[in-house]
């Protein structure tokens, strides 16, 4: 019997040692689930980044998992809070404040310090990821807002690019052609989707010089915000914007040249180049032509969850993204601004003249998240959407909506400070 | 041979039931108890339950005007579904019970809305309801039934009625199938006897058909009510997400928003428990009706 046992051990032991050895030398796998793996330009950039990280660090493997955006935010939240945390999280402006407040993120300072990066090395939007002096996320891309326009449609209608509110409104009227199902401008006018409504109407509100919050206090009744709401209601009621469509549909209408102007981020240019190359040469962009001459940015952060199993490897991934070559690829591939300023080549600007307006907006634009109360953004955005919907769909006048919204936001903020 | 008893045949049913009970315990009773436990806590996230707060989350829910709006919307939506499914389901069943050429095909076609996935149905209806490009506005304008486009999903209460209509369209085949099964259990002699007694069609329907489908009707009522009140989510979420201005925000949508969008798991759990209690009340009414002795 002993002979059989020894005989068996003779081949089991080396096999076991081999397995242990393999495990010890196995690559660390970073799990990085995000919807961006399914988006053409973002996926192209992420795959380049993945290759670069794996080439530089043979002991690191990146497992990029595409999660459709419809399910992504809930899934990420459930995974991070339930302990099945990914190694890298994707967070937009308000989300990162919520995650920081809930203690779900790891400070990145040790790795940033080692790589020699300080907060001042990043675009202003980066400050949203800072809490008590610690940096909890870095910008992957920044999408400032400017006005895209279809130069061909404007030329055919013999309209110069609008430079102020009056010429913008006149252009909207001139370009509206029900027979061709053509609109001069598009923005959100659909019930539900509070977050999207807020993002899409902010070019108007910020462009007028207004905002729903200033330094943590509601500012809906400011003359600028009220004027923006009145203008929004006016173009909705005069059917100068498509009604009831979701964002994806009217973006597609812009790409298919059924909408002449659209206030959005530079990523839209990628959609135009892919969906309608003939239009791309007529794609131009300019500063928002509204009285306040202001814009805002929408940032996409990379962060490491507190319970991420491979923090060190995840940090290497993020630090590689911050290096010059990958920062320049953010501009060239995604056509968005990267984390660090000064990464846009002159040659790129010559080939893509529309990008100038976005670069300018990105250097000064503040985050779209409600200022000073970013951590409560989802509830605040829902409250704002409810009242804006009252104005659009129930015919309540803008002034009354502004007063009611101001009162409810004041009550809400007071309840959170108790 | 041992004597049959506790150790023999009488144990067999329990053995067969054990896997189902275990599965129910894991995927149903345990999450339900955790949700109730969570509803008594505030400030937790994910696996962290938060601090014990007694009934504070319930008080917070009941003090919120959004809860009462959602409750009202849920009641209207559930009643609309119930009435619509009853009328369309019973009407279609009565038609399909008659003998006519192509009855088999007609019976198969009626099932189609039920077989279409919810997401696909919602997207198709979303385009049909569209203000600018929707086929409904086009048809009604062409027939001169409306002079300008209607905001099927942007008006209030139009959006609630539109969603109820889509939901009824999805559910009525269930009613049809159940009523058809019920109608086929009514003996033809009863109709014959009613006719001999001088009853017309309406009287026969009132005194023979309705009592004959009572049991089926009670089950359908319970199923539709619980479904529409406590489970309807997909169609509403895809088409309006509870808008415009809360006009279609049911308790289920509010629960989702509180738990997953606002990061208030305690409030979400409290709302879920309230929905559970209301559904239980419906179930109790059903059980009383189902087990009530027949009046002779």
């Amino acid at each position: 019997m002993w002979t059989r046992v020894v005989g068996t051990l003779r081949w089991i032991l080396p096999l076991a040692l081999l397995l242990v050895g393999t495990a010890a030398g196995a690559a660390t796998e970073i799990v990085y689930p995000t919807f961006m793996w399914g988006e053409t330009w973002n996926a192209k950039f992420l795959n380049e980044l993945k290759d670069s990280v794996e080439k530089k660090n043979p002991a690191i493997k990146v497992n990029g998992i595409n999660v459709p955006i419809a399910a992504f935010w809930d899934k990420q939240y459930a995974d991070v809070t339930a302990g099945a945390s990914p190694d890298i999280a994707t967070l937009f402006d308000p989300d990162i404040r919520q995650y920081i407040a809930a203690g779900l993120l790891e400070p990145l300072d040790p790795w940033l310090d080692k790589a020699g990066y300080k907060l001042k090395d990043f675009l202003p939007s980066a400050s949203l990821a800072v809490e008590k002096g610690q940096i909890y996320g870095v910008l992957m891309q920044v999408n400032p807002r400017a006005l895209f326009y279809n130069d061909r449609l404007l030329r055919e209608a013999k309209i110069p690019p609008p430079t102020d509110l009056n010429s913008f409104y006149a252009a909207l009227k001139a370009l509206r052609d029900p027979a061709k199902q053509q609109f001069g401008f598009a923005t959100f006018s659909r019930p539900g989707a509070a977050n999207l409504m807020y993002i899409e109407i902010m070019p108007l509100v910020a462009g007028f010089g207004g905002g729903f919050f200033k330094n943590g206090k509601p500012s809906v009744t400011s003359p600028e915000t009220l004027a923006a709401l009145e203008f929004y209601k006016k173009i909705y009621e005069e059917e100068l914007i498509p009604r009831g469509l979701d964002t994806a549909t009217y973006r597609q209408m812009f790409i298919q040249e059924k909408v002449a102007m659209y206030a959005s981020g530079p990523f839209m240019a990628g959609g135009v180049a892919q969906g309608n190359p003939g239009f791309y040469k007529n794609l131009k962009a300019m500063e928002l032509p509204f009285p306040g001459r202001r814009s805002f940015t929408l940032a996409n952060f990379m962060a490491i969850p507190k319970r991420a199993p491979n923090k060190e490897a995840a940090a290497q991934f993020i630090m590689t993204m911050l290096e010059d070559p990958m920062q320049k690829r953010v501009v060239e591939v995604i056509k968005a601004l990267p984390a660090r300023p000064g990464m846009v080549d002159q040659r790129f600007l010559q080939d893509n003249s529309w990008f100038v307006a976005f670069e300018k907006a990105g250097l000064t634009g503040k985050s779209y998240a409600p200022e000073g109360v970013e951590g409560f953004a989802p509830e605040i955005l829902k409250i704002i959407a409810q009242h804006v919907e009252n104005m659009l769909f129930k015919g309540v006048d803008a002034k009354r909506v502004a007063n009611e919204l101001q009162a409810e936001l004041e009550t809400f903020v007071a309840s959170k400070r108790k | 041979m041992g004597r049959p008893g506790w150790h023999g045949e009488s144990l067999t049913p329990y053995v067969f039931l054990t896997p189902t009970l275990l599965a129910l315990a894991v995927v149903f009773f345990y999450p339900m108890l955790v949700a109730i436990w969570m509803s008594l806590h505030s400030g937790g996230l994910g696996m962290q339950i938060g601090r014990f707060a007694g009934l504070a989350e319930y008080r917070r829910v009941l003090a919120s005007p959004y809860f009462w709006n959602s409750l009202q919307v849920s009641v209207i939506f559930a009643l609309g579904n119930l009435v619509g499914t009853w009328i369309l389901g019973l009407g279609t069943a009565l038609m399909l019970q008659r003998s006519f050429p192509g009855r088999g095909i007609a019976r198969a076609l009626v099932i189609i809305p039920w077989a279409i996935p919810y997401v696909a149905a919602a997207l198709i209806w979303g385009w049909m309801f569209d203000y600018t490009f929707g086929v409904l506005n086009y048809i009604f304008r062409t027939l001169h039934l409306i002079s300008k486009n209607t905001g099927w999903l942007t008006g209030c209460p139009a959006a609630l009625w539109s969603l109820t209509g889509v939901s009824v369209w999805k559910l009525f085949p269930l009613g049809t199938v159940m009523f058809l099964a019920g109608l086929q259990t009514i003996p033809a002699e009863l109709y014959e006897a009613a006719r001999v007694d001088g009853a017309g069609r309406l009287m026969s329907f009132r005194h023979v058909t309705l009592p004959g489908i009572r049991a089926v009707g009670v089950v359908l009522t319970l199923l539709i009510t619980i479904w529409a009140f406590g489970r309807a989510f997909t169609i509403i979420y895809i088409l309006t997400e509870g808008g415009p201005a809360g006009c279609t925000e049911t308790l289920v949508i509010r629960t989702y928003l509180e738990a997953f969008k606002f990061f208030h798991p305690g409030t979400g759990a409290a709302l879920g428990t309230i929905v559970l209690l209301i559904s239980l009340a419906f179930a109790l009414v059903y059980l009383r009706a189902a087990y009530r002795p027949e009046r002779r």
Side-chain angles (χ1 to χ4, degrees):
Chain A
M1 188 195 165
W2 279 109
T3 318
R4 274 178 64 191
V5 170
V6 171
T8 311
L9 284 176
R10 269 173 60 193
W11 62 266
I12 283 183
L13 274 175
L15 188 65
L17 286 171
L18 182 72
L19 284 173
V20 169
T22 311
T28 305
E29 187 183 82
I30 307 171
V31 178
Y32 179 21
T34 175
F35 55 89
M36 289 186 287
W37 292 104
E39 296 178 338
T40 312
W41 308 114
N42 281 323
K44 187 172 175 348
F45 169 76
L46 287 177
N47 277 311
E48 285 185 19
L49 177 58
K50 173 182 184 294
D51 292 344
S52 171
V53 170
E54 288 177 350
K55 203 170 158 189
K56 257 177 56 181
N57 309 277
I60 296 176
K61 292 282 167 229
V62 181
N63 180 8
I65 302 166
N66 177 32
V67 181
I69 194 162
F72 175 75
W73 302 109
D74 294 348
K75 184 176 173 358
Q76 177 172 271
Y77 168 65
D79 287 348
V80 169
T81 55
S85 198
D87 292 305
I88 297 175
T90 302
L91 298 161
F92 286 173
D93 309 35
D95 310 319
I96 198 158
R97 296 303 308 169
Q98 273 190 303
Y99 274 61
I100 293 171
L104 296 171
L105 300 179
E106 184 73 24
L108 302 179
D109 301 74
W111 296 287
L112 289 170
D113 287 346
K114 201 174 159 191
Y117 296 117
K118 302 277 174 226
L119 184 63
K120 64 176 172 50
D121 296 323
F122 303 122
L123 286 178
S125 311
S127 60
L128 213 58
V130 179
E131 179 73 20
K132 292 181 183 158
Q134 291 194 296
I135 301 174
Y136 286 85
V138 295
L139 295 163
M140 182 214 168
Q141 55 177 290
V142 179
N143 277 293
R145 291 311 194 241
L147 186 72
F148 273 120
Y149 64 91
N150 185 323
D151 197 40
R152 181 184 70 81
L153 289 181
L154 264 67
R155 267 189 282 114
E156 282 176 8
K158 297 185 172 57
I159 300 168
T163 51
D164 56 25
L165 189 63
N166 289 335
S167 59
F168 179 73
Y169 179 66
L172 257 58
K173 291 201 106 166
L175 288 159
R176 176 77 177 106
D177 184 347
K180 287 189 195 167
Q181 294 182 329
Q182 180 183 289
F183 292 85
F185 181 65
T187 187
F188 202 85
S189 63
R190 179 182 188 269
N195 194 31
L196 272 176
M197 168 180 266
Y198 185 83
I199 290 172
E200 291 292 281
I201 68 171
M202 273 307 281
L204 281 176
V205 177
F208 270 74
F212 293 100
F213 273 87
K214 198 164 186 186
N215 298 322
K217 288 181 185 161
S219 56
V220 192
T221 45
S222 72
E224 297 83 9
T225 311
L226 182 58
L229 290 175
E230 281 169 345
F231 184 71
Y232 180 33
K233 184 176 165 68
K234 181 176 163 176
I235 58 176
Y236 172 81
E237 287 180 347
E238 293 179 14
E239 298 194 28
L240 296 176
I241 53 173
R243 284 187 180 193
L245 295 182
D246 60 25
T247 313
T249 305
Y250 62 74
R251 280 181 181 168
Q252 194 57 36
M253 286 173 70
F254 177 71
I255 291 169
Q256 298 307 326
E257 304 186 69
K258 292 287 180 189
V259 168
M261 294 180 283
Y262 177 41
S264 187
F267 66 91
M268 268 305 292
V272 172
Q274 190 183 26
N276 189 353
F279 165 31
Y280 189 74
K281 61 179 184 291
N282 290 313
L283 180 69
K284 300 217 166 152
M286 56 180 286
E287 182 187 24
L288 295 170
F290 307 126
R293 301 285 162 190
R294 273 182 47 206
S295 183
F296 71 98
T297 63
L298 201 149
N300 182 339
F301 289 88
M302 269 190 199
I304 301 179
K306 199 155 240 168
R307 296 190 200 175
N310 302 300
K311 287 177 197 161
E312 190 58 46
Q316 294 311 314
F317 185 85
I318 292 175
M319 293 309 124
T320 306
M321 184 199 69
L322 291 176
E323 290 170 4
D324 284 10
M326 292 319 295
Q327 290 288 286
K328 287 180 179 170
R329 292 302 284 161
V330 171
V331 181
E332 291 157 9
V333 177
I334 307 176
K335 295 187 170 61
L337 290 174
R340 294 167 49 212
M343 292 290 144
V344 186
D345 280 340
Q346 282 307 311
R347 224 180 95 191
F348 177 82
L349 285 180
Q350 280 164 13
D351 294 343
N352 302 276
S353 58
W354 55 266
F355 198 80
V356 176
F358 292 95
E359 194 189 18
K360 196 176 157 198
L363 291 173
T364 54
K366 284 185 178 177
S367 163
Y368 83 103
E371 190 185 307
V373 283
E374 296 89 352
F376 305 114
E379 285 163 277
I380 288 170
L381 268 49
K382 177 75 180 160
I383 293 170
I384 292 170
Q386 294 261 101
H387 287 270
V388 172
E389 285 177 2
N390 266 333
M391 181 182 82
L392 291 189
F393 309 128
K394 291 186 175 175
V396 182
D397 76 87
K399 194 165 186 183
R400 195 177 133 199
V401 161
N403 288 332
E404 289 173 355
L405 177 54
Q406 175 81 14
E408 186 166 354
L409 289 176
E410 281 170 0
T411 309
F412 175 82
V413 172
S415 76
K416 295 295 172 189
R417 288 192 177 135
K418 274 181 190 167
Chain B
M1 292 281 283
R3 109 189 125 80
W6 177 245
H7 299 292
E9 287 166 13
S10 63
L11 206 59
T12 310
Y14 297 101
V15 173
F16 281 118
L17 283 173
T18 304
T20 309
L21 282 174
L22 278 176
L24 278 177
V26 172
V27 302
F28 183 73
F29 291 113
Y30 174 71
M32 190 176 78
L33 291 175
V34 171
I36 294 170
W37 184 240
M38 277 171 75
S39 73
L40 303 173
H41 294 73
S42 289
L45 275 177
M47 296 297 277
Q48 304 153 357
I49 284 278
R51 64 181 189 284
F52 185 77
L55 296 174
E57 290 295 349
Y58 290 90
R59 280 196 293 274
R60 185 182 159 189
V61 165
L62 295 176
S64 162
Y66 291 115
F67 168 76
W68 296 104
N69 172 65
S70 297
L71 183 64
Q72 189 186 346
V73 171
S74 293
V75 169
I76 295 170
F77 184 72
L79 279 175
N81 271 273
L82 187 61
V83 172
T85 309
W86 251 85
I87 293 173
L88 265 180
L90 184 55
T92 318
L94 287 169
M95 258 179 2
L96 293 177
Q97 200 202 8
R98 291 167 167 242
S99 189
F100 59 88
R103 186 174 71 165
I105 294 170
R107 283 184 174 182
L109 288 176
V110 163
I111 302 294
I112 286 176
W114 199 21
I116 294 177
Y118 269 102
V119 173
L123 293 174
I124 292 166
W125 277 99
W127 272 110
M128 287 167 62
F129 283 133
D130 185 75
Y131 181 88
T132 312
F133 307 113
V135 72
L136 285 183
N137 275 333
Y138 172 76
I139 290 172
F140 288 145
R141 257 197 346 264
T142 308
L143 296 174
H144 300 290
L145 293 173
I146 53 175
S147 56
K148 55 183 273 193
N149 287 355
T150 298
W152 300 100
L153 295 177
T154 54
C156 191
L160 183 55
W161 295 124
S162 301
L163 291 183
T164 308
V166 177
S167 185
V168 168
W169 174 81
K170 275 288 294 166
L171 284 175
F172 90 88
L174 173 71
T176 304
V177 170
M178 289 180 71
F179 282 128
L180 202 52
L183 288 171
Q184 285 167 4
T185 63
I186 303 172
E189 293 81 16
L190 288 181
Y191 288 104
E192 190 63 33
R195 206 173 64 218
V196 170
D197 288 347
R201 278 188 179 180
L202 209 60
M203 290 292 271
S204 291
F205 179 75
R206 162 90 176 77
H207 294 288
V208 179
T209 307
L210 282 183
I213 58 167
R214 182 176 153 256
V216 166
V218 170
V219 175
L220 183 73
T221 301
L222 178 79
L223 287 178
I224 298 294
T225 311
I226 290 179
W227 186 90
F229 194 87
R231 290 192 54 211
F233 179 81
T234 314
I235 284 178
I236 302 173
Y237 191 71
I238 291 176
L239 288 178
T240 62
E241 275 190 47
C247 187
T248 61
E249 190 176 287
T250 57
L251 280 175
V252 185
I253 295 281
R254 190 75 202 170
T255 306
Y256 168 79
L257 290 174
E258 289 285 355
F260 288 95
K261 293 289 177 209
F262 306 158
F263 288 13
H264 297 149
T267 316
L271 273 164
T273 308
I274 290 171
V275 172
L276 175 73
L277 289 175
I278 295 171
S279 299
L280 271 178
F282 287 134
L284 284 176
V285 172
Y286 157 73
L287 287 173
R288 282 197 63 175
Y291 290 100
R292 193 175 61 188
E294 285 291 327
R295 278 178 296 175
R296 300 282 172 193

